[in-house]
Short mmCIF file of all heavy atoms in Angstrom, two decimals:
data_model
loop_
_atom_site.label_atom_id
_atom_site.label_comp_id
_atom_site.label_asym_id
_atom_site.label_seq_id
_atom_site.Cartn_x
_atom_site.Cartn_y
_atom_site.Cartn_z
N LEU N 1 155.15 149.68 73.11
CA LEU N 1 156.41 149.97 73.78
C LEU N 1 156.30 149.81 75.29
O LEU N 1 157.21 149.29 75.94
CB LEU N 1 156.89 151.38 73.43
CG LEU N 1 157.35 151.58 72.00
CD1 LEU N 1 157.66 153.05 71.72
CD2 LEU N 1 158.57 150.73 71.71
N ILE N 2 155.19 150.23 75.85
CA ILE N 2 154.98 150.06 77.29
C ILE N 2 154.90 148.58 77.63
O ILE N 2 155.50 148.12 78.61
CB ILE N 2 153.71 150.81 77.74
CG1 ILE N 2 153.94 152.32 77.66
CG2 ILE N 2 153.31 150.40 79.16
CD1 ILE N 2 152.69 153.15 77.87
N GLY N 3 154.18 147.80 76.84
CA GLY N 3 154.09 146.36 77.06
C GLY N 3 155.44 145.68 76.96
O GLY N 3 155.77 144.81 77.76
N TYR N 4 156.25 146.10 76.01
CA TYR N 4 157.59 145.53 75.86
C TYR N 4 158.44 145.86 77.08
O TYR N 4 159.18 145.02 77.58
CB TYR N 4 158.24 146.05 74.59
CG TYR N 4 159.63 145.50 74.39
CD1 TYR N 4 159.83 144.20 73.96
CD2 TYR N 4 160.75 146.29 74.64
CE1 TYR N 4 161.09 143.69 73.79
CE2 TYR N 4 162.02 145.79 74.47
CZ TYR N 4 162.19 144.49 74.05
OH TYR N 4 163.45 143.99 73.88
N ALA N 5 158.34 147.09 77.57
CA ALA N 5 159.12 147.49 78.74
C ALA N 5 158.71 146.71 79.98
O ALA N 5 159.54 146.42 80.84
CB ALA N 5 158.95 148.99 78.99
N TRP N 6 157.45 146.36 80.08
CA TRP N 6 156.97 145.62 81.25
C TRP N 6 157.10 144.11 81.10
O TRP N 6 156.84 143.37 82.03
CB TRP N 6 155.52 145.97 81.53
CG TRP N 6 155.33 147.24 82.28
CD1 TRP N 6 156.28 147.96 82.93
CD2 TRP N 6 154.11 147.93 82.46
NE1 TRP N 6 155.73 149.07 83.49
CE2 TRP N 6 154.39 149.08 83.21
CE3 TRP N 6 152.81 147.72 82.04
CZ2 TRP N 6 153.41 150.00 83.57
CZ3 TRP N 6 151.84 148.63 82.39
CH2 TRP N 6 152.14 149.76 83.15
N SER N 7 157.47 143.65 79.91
CA SER N 7 157.56 142.20 79.71
C SER N 7 158.64 141.63 80.62
O SER N 7 159.58 142.30 81.01
CB SER N 7 157.87 141.88 78.25
OG SER N 7 159.16 142.34 77.92
N GLU N 8 158.45 140.37 80.96
CA GLU N 8 159.34 139.73 81.91
C GLU N 8 160.66 139.36 81.26
O GLU N 8 160.69 138.62 80.29
CB GLU N 8 158.65 138.49 82.47
CG GLU N 8 159.29 137.94 83.68
CD GLU N 8 158.41 136.92 84.37
OE1 GLU N 8 157.52 136.36 83.74
OE2 GLU N 8 158.63 136.72 85.55
N SER N 9 161.75 139.89 81.77
CA SER N 9 163.07 139.54 81.26
C SER N 9 163.74 138.64 82.29
O SER N 9 163.32 138.55 83.43
CB SER N 9 163.91 140.80 81.01
OG SER N 9 164.09 141.50 82.20
N CYS N 10 164.82 137.96 81.87
CA CYS N 10 165.41 136.97 82.76
C CYS N 10 166.89 136.78 82.51
O CYS N 10 167.42 137.14 81.46
CB CYS N 10 164.70 135.63 82.59
SG CYS N 10 164.82 134.98 80.91
N THR N 11 167.53 136.20 83.49
CA THR N 11 168.88 135.65 83.37
C THR N 11 168.87 134.19 83.82
O THR N 11 169.73 133.43 83.48
CB THR N 11 169.90 136.44 84.20
OG1 THR N 11 169.47 136.46 85.56
CG2 THR N 11 170.06 137.86 83.68
N ASN N 12 167.85 133.83 84.62
CA ASN N 12 167.69 132.48 85.13
C ASN N 12 166.20 132.14 85.10
O ASN N 12 165.42 132.73 85.83
CB ASN N 12 168.24 132.40 86.56
CG ASN N 12 168.12 131.03 87.16
OD1 ASN N 12 167.22 130.26 86.82
ND2 ASN N 12 169.01 130.70 88.07
N SER N 13 165.82 131.18 84.28
CA SER N 13 164.39 130.87 84.12
C SER N 13 163.77 130.32 85.39
O SER N 13 162.57 130.48 85.62
CB SER N 13 164.18 129.90 82.96
OG SER N 13 164.85 128.69 83.20
N ALA N 14 164.56 129.69 86.25
CA ALA N 14 164.01 129.10 87.48
C ALA N 14 163.60 130.15 88.49
O ALA N 14 162.65 129.95 89.26
CB ALA N 14 165.03 128.15 88.10
N THR N 15 164.27 131.29 88.49
CA THR N 15 163.97 132.31 89.49
C THR N 15 163.36 133.58 88.92
O THR N 15 162.66 134.29 89.63
CB THR N 15 165.25 132.69 90.26
OG1 THR N 15 166.23 133.17 89.33
CG2 THR N 15 165.81 131.51 91.03
N ASP N 16 163.58 133.88 87.66
CA ASP N 16 163.15 135.16 87.09
C ASP N 16 161.82 135.09 86.34
O ASP N 16 161.24 136.13 86.05
CB ASP N 16 164.21 135.70 86.12
CG ASP N 16 165.52 136.02 86.81
OD1 ASP N 16 165.51 136.20 88.04
OD2 ASP N 16 166.54 136.09 86.12
N CYS N 17 161.33 133.93 86.03
CA CYS N 17 160.14 133.81 85.18
C CYS N 17 158.90 133.43 85.99
O CYS N 17 158.15 132.53 85.61
CB CYS N 17 160.40 132.80 84.08
SG CYS N 17 161.76 133.27 83.00
N THR N 18 158.66 134.10 87.06
CA THR N 18 157.56 133.74 87.94
C THR N 18 156.19 134.10 87.38
O THR N 18 155.20 133.51 87.77
CB THR N 18 157.73 134.39 89.32
OG1 THR N 18 157.80 135.82 89.15
CG2 THR N 18 158.99 133.90 90.01
N HIS N 19 156.11 135.06 86.48
CA HIS N 19 154.83 135.51 85.94
C HIS N 19 154.52 134.91 84.58
O HIS N 19 153.51 135.23 83.97
CB HIS N 19 154.78 137.03 85.86
CG HIS N 19 154.82 137.68 87.19
ND1 HIS N 19 155.98 138.11 87.77
CD2 HIS N 19 153.84 137.94 88.08
CE1 HIS N 19 155.71 138.62 88.96
NE2 HIS N 19 154.42 138.53 89.17
N THR N 20 155.39 134.04 84.11
CA THR N 20 155.18 133.40 82.82
C THR N 20 154.90 131.92 83.05
O THR N 20 155.57 131.29 83.86
CB THR N 20 156.44 133.55 81.93
OG1 THR N 20 156.75 134.94 81.82
CG2 THR N 20 156.22 132.97 80.55
N SER N 21 153.92 131.38 82.36
CA SER N 21 153.62 129.96 82.51
C SER N 21 153.54 129.30 81.14
O SER N 21 153.19 129.94 80.15
CB SER N 21 152.33 129.75 83.29
OG SER N 21 151.25 130.33 82.60
N CYS N 22 153.87 128.02 81.10
CA CYS N 22 153.85 127.26 79.86
C CYS N 22 152.79 126.17 79.95
O CYS N 22 152.50 125.68 81.03
CB CYS N 22 155.21 126.61 79.61
SG CYS N 22 156.56 127.79 79.47
N THR N 23 152.25 125.78 78.82
CA THR N 23 151.27 124.70 78.79
C THR N 23 151.97 123.36 78.93
O THR N 23 153.20 123.27 78.84
CB THR N 23 150.47 124.73 77.47
OG1 THR N 23 151.38 124.63 76.38
CG2 THR N 23 149.68 126.01 77.34
N ASP N 24 151.21 122.32 79.12
CA ASP N 24 151.76 120.97 79.27
C ASP N 24 152.63 120.60 78.07
O ASP N 24 152.28 120.88 76.93
CB ASP N 24 150.64 119.94 79.41
CG ASP N 24 149.93 120.05 80.75
OD1 ASP N 24 150.51 120.62 81.69
OD2 ASP N 24 148.79 119.56 80.85
N GLY N 25 153.75 119.97 78.35
CA GLY N 25 154.66 119.55 77.30
C GLY N 25 155.68 120.61 76.92
O GLY N 25 156.56 120.35 76.11
N TRP N 26 155.58 121.80 77.49
CA TRP N 26 156.51 122.88 77.21
C TRP N 26 157.26 123.22 78.49
O TRP N 26 156.74 123.06 79.59
CB TRP N 26 155.77 124.11 76.70
CG TRP N 26 155.16 123.91 75.34
CD1 TRP N 26 154.05 123.17 75.06
CD2 TRP N 26 155.63 124.43 74.11
NE1 TRP N 26 153.80 123.21 73.71
CE2 TRP N 26 154.75 123.97 73.10
CE3 TRP N 26 156.69 125.24 73.76
CZ2 TRP N 26 154.92 124.30 71.77
CZ3 TRP N 26 156.85 125.56 72.42
CH2 TRP N 26 155.97 125.10 71.45
N GLU N 27 158.49 123.71 78.37
CA GLU N 27 159.32 124.06 79.52
C GLU N 27 159.76 125.51 79.42
O GLU N 27 159.91 126.06 78.33
CB GLU N 27 160.57 123.18 79.56
CG GLU N 27 160.28 121.70 79.69
CD GLU N 27 161.55 120.88 79.61
OE1 GLU N 27 162.65 121.45 79.51
OE2 GLU N 27 161.43 119.64 79.62
N MET N 28 159.98 126.13 80.58
CA MET N 28 160.42 127.52 80.64
C MET N 28 161.94 127.61 80.50
O MET N 28 162.67 126.88 81.16
CB MET N 28 160.00 128.13 81.99
CG MET N 28 160.38 129.59 82.12
SD MET N 28 159.49 130.64 80.97
CE MET N 28 157.82 130.30 81.48
N HIS N 29 162.39 128.48 79.61
CA HIS N 29 163.82 128.77 79.45
C HIS N 29 164.01 130.25 79.22
O HIS N 29 163.10 130.95 78.78
CB HIS N 29 164.41 127.98 78.27
CG HIS N 29 164.59 126.55 78.56
ND1 HIS N 29 163.63 125.62 78.25
CD2 HIS N 29 165.58 125.87 79.15
CE1 HIS N 29 164.04 124.43 78.63
NE2 HIS N 29 165.22 124.56 79.19
N CYS N 30 165.19 130.71 79.53
CA CYS N 30 165.55 132.10 79.30
C CYS N 30 166.28 132.16 77.95
O CYS N 30 167.39 131.66 77.82
CB CYS N 30 166.45 132.58 80.44
SG CYS N 30 166.71 134.34 80.44
N VAL N 31 165.63 132.74 76.94
CA VAL N 31 166.20 132.83 75.60
C VAL N 31 166.36 134.30 75.25
O VAL N 31 165.37 135.04 75.19
CB VAL N 31 165.30 132.12 74.56
CG1 VAL N 31 165.87 132.27 73.16
CG2 VAL N 31 165.11 130.66 74.92
N ASP N 32 167.58 134.74 75.03
CA ASP N 32 167.88 136.14 74.72
C ASP N 32 167.28 137.07 75.77
O ASP N 32 166.69 138.10 75.44
CB ASP N 32 167.38 136.51 73.33
CG ASP N 32 168.09 135.71 72.24
OD1 ASP N 32 169.27 135.37 72.42
OD2 ASP N 32 167.45 135.44 71.21
N ALA N 33 167.38 136.69 77.05
CA ALA N 33 166.92 137.49 78.20
C ALA N 33 165.40 137.63 78.27
O ALA N 33 164.89 138.51 78.94
CB ALA N 33 167.59 138.85 78.23
N VAL N 34 164.67 136.75 77.58
CA VAL N 34 163.21 136.78 77.62
C VAL N 34 162.71 135.40 78.07
O VAL N 34 163.16 134.38 77.55
CB VAL N 34 162.63 137.12 76.22
CG1 VAL N 34 161.11 137.07 76.24
CG2 VAL N 34 163.10 138.49 75.77
N CYS N 35 161.79 135.39 79.02
CA CYS N 35 161.18 134.13 79.47
C CYS N 35 160.43 133.52 78.29
O CYS N 35 159.56 134.16 77.71
CB CYS N 35 160.23 134.39 80.63
SG CYS N 35 161.06 135.05 82.09
N THR N 36 160.78 132.29 77.93
CA THR N 36 160.26 131.68 76.71
C THR N 36 159.88 130.23 76.97
O THR N 36 160.62 129.48 77.59
CB THR N 36 161.35 131.70 75.61
OG1 THR N 36 161.80 133.04 75.45
CG2 THR N 36 160.82 131.19 74.30
N CYS N 37 158.72 129.83 76.49
CA CYS N 37 158.31 128.44 76.55
C CYS N 37 158.95 127.70 75.38
O CYS N 37 158.91 128.17 74.25
CB CYS N 37 156.79 128.32 76.47
SG CYS N 37 155.94 129.06 77.88
N THR N 38 159.57 126.55 75.67
CA THR N 38 160.22 125.78 74.62
C THR N 38 159.75 124.33 74.69
O THR N 38 159.32 123.85 75.72
CB THR N 38 161.76 125.79 74.76
OG1 THR N 38 162.13 125.15 75.98
CG2 THR N 38 162.30 127.21 74.75
N GLN N 39 159.87 123.66 73.56
CA GLN N 39 159.52 122.25 73.47
C GLN N 39 160.73 121.49 72.95
O GLN N 39 161.32 121.88 71.94
CB GLN N 39 158.33 122.07 72.53
CG GLN N 39 157.77 120.68 72.54
CD GLN N 39 156.51 120.60 71.69
OE1 GLN N 39 156.43 121.22 70.65
NE2 GLN N 39 155.56 119.82 72.13
N SER N 40 161.10 120.43 73.64
CA SER N 40 162.26 119.64 73.23
C SER N 40 161.86 118.59 72.21
O SER N 40 160.74 118.10 72.21
CB SER N 40 162.86 118.96 74.46
OG SER N 40 163.91 118.11 74.07
N ASN N 41 162.80 118.22 71.36
CA ASN N 41 162.56 117.13 70.43
C ASN N 41 163.42 115.92 70.79
O ASN N 41 163.51 114.98 70.04
CB ASN N 41 162.83 117.56 68.99
CG ASN N 41 164.31 117.66 68.68
OD1 ASN N 41 165.13 117.77 69.58
ND2 ASN N 41 164.65 117.61 67.42
N ASN N 42 164.07 115.97 71.96
CA ASN N 42 164.91 114.89 72.47
C ASN N 42 166.14 114.61 71.61
O ASN N 42 166.65 113.51 71.60
CB ASN N 42 164.10 113.61 72.67
CG ASN N 42 163.06 113.79 73.75
OD1 ASN N 42 163.31 114.43 74.75
ND2 ASN N 42 161.89 113.24 73.52
N MET N 43 166.59 115.63 70.87
CA MET N 43 167.82 115.51 70.09
C MET N 43 168.91 116.32 70.77
O MET N 43 168.70 117.49 71.09
CB MET N 43 167.61 116.03 68.67
CG MET N 43 166.65 115.20 67.84
SD MET N 43 167.21 113.52 67.52
CE MET N 43 168.65 113.81 66.55
N LYS N 44 170.05 115.69 71.01
CA LYS N 44 171.15 116.37 71.67
C LYS N 44 171.87 117.29 70.70
O LYS N 44 171.89 117.06 69.49
CB LYS N 44 172.11 115.36 72.26
CG LYS N 44 171.49 114.56 73.39
CD LYS N 44 172.49 113.71 74.08
CE LYS N 44 171.76 112.98 75.21
NZ LYS N 44 172.64 112.55 76.24
N CYS N 45 172.48 118.36 71.25
CA CYS N 45 173.20 119.32 70.42
C CYS N 45 174.34 119.94 71.23
O CYS N 45 174.33 119.92 72.45
CB CYS N 45 172.27 120.42 69.92
SG CYS N 45 171.48 121.34 71.26
N THR N 46 175.30 120.47 70.51
CA THR N 46 176.35 121.27 71.12
C THR N 46 176.34 122.68 70.56
O THR N 46 176.83 123.60 71.18
CB THR N 46 177.74 120.64 70.92
OG1 THR N 46 177.94 120.42 69.53
CG2 THR N 46 177.85 119.34 71.69
N THR N 47 175.77 122.83 69.37
CA THR N 47 175.65 124.14 68.74
C THR N 47 174.28 124.27 68.09
O THR N 47 173.59 123.27 67.86
CB THR N 47 176.72 124.36 67.64
OG1 THR N 47 176.45 123.46 66.58
CG2 THR N 47 178.12 124.16 68.18
#
């Protein structure tokens, strides 16, 4: 619970995720208010 409370939350991955890093090929995004590393498959979507 303490770790969860201290985990990095975000509204903007460019400014709020300074303590989270992703490995090569992954990008930082804010998913459900949590800094998250994501990998794209180059497929476009709207939903």
Side-chain angles (χ1 to χ4, degrees):
L1 290 174
I2 290 171
Y4 179 76
W6 279 347
S7 66
E8 194 167 22
S9 61
C10 60
T11 56
N12 180 331
S13 61
T15 58
D16 296 340
C17 299
T18 58
H19 294 94
T20 304
S21 61
C22 300
T23 58
D24 289 340
W26 292 74
E27 299 175 4
M28 182 66 60
H29 286 92
C30 191
V31 177
D32 297 327
V34 177
C35 297
T36 306
C37 295
T38 64
Q39 189 175 38
S40 175
N41 75 340
N42 295 321
M43 294 296 296
K44 294 188 179 203
C45 59
T46 54
T47 66

